[in-house]
């Protein structure tokens, strides 16, 4: 994977906006929202191999949800 294109500040802003949008979508629609968001971003990337690598990388570091965190 290539290095991030965002500054730490921009990354924080995008993260906060993404969290807000997930909340707005609601728990029932969250999986559909995330799948649609991923597809739209993959289309922006325009490279199937890079998208597949990103999917694999996301699964590698996916933490187990915890009620204590």
């Amino acid at each position: 994977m290539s290095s991030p294109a965002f500054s730490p500040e921009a990354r924080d802003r995008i993260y906060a906006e993404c969290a807000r949008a997930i909340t707005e979508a609601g728990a029932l629609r969250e999986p559909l929202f995330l799948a649609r968001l991923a597809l739209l971003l993959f289309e922006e990337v325009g490279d199937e191999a890079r998208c597949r690598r990103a999917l694999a990388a996301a699964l590698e570091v996916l933490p187990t949800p915890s009620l204590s965190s």
Side-chain angles (χ1 to χ4, degrees):
M1 303 276 312
S2 61
S3 61
F6 293 121
S7 68
E9 296 81 12
R11 181 180 276 194
D12 286 346
R13 288 190 301 271
I14 295 293
Y15 179 87
E17 185 66 17
C18 184
R20 185 206 57 76
I22 291 168
T23 299
E24 186 176 323
L28 289 176
R29 296 186 316 160
E30 180 180 338
L32 296 174
F33 169 79
L34 293 173
R36 178 159 172 69
L37 175 61
L39 181 59
L40 291 170
L41 292 172
F42 291 160
E43 288 178 342
E44 288 292 320
V45 169
D47 182 330
E48 183 179 353
R50 282 183 67 197
C51 294
R52 289 178 179 274
R53 285 192 305 272
L55 285 168
L59 281 174
E60 280 181 21
V61 296
L62 191 63
T64 301
S66 171
L67 295 176
S68 63
S69 53

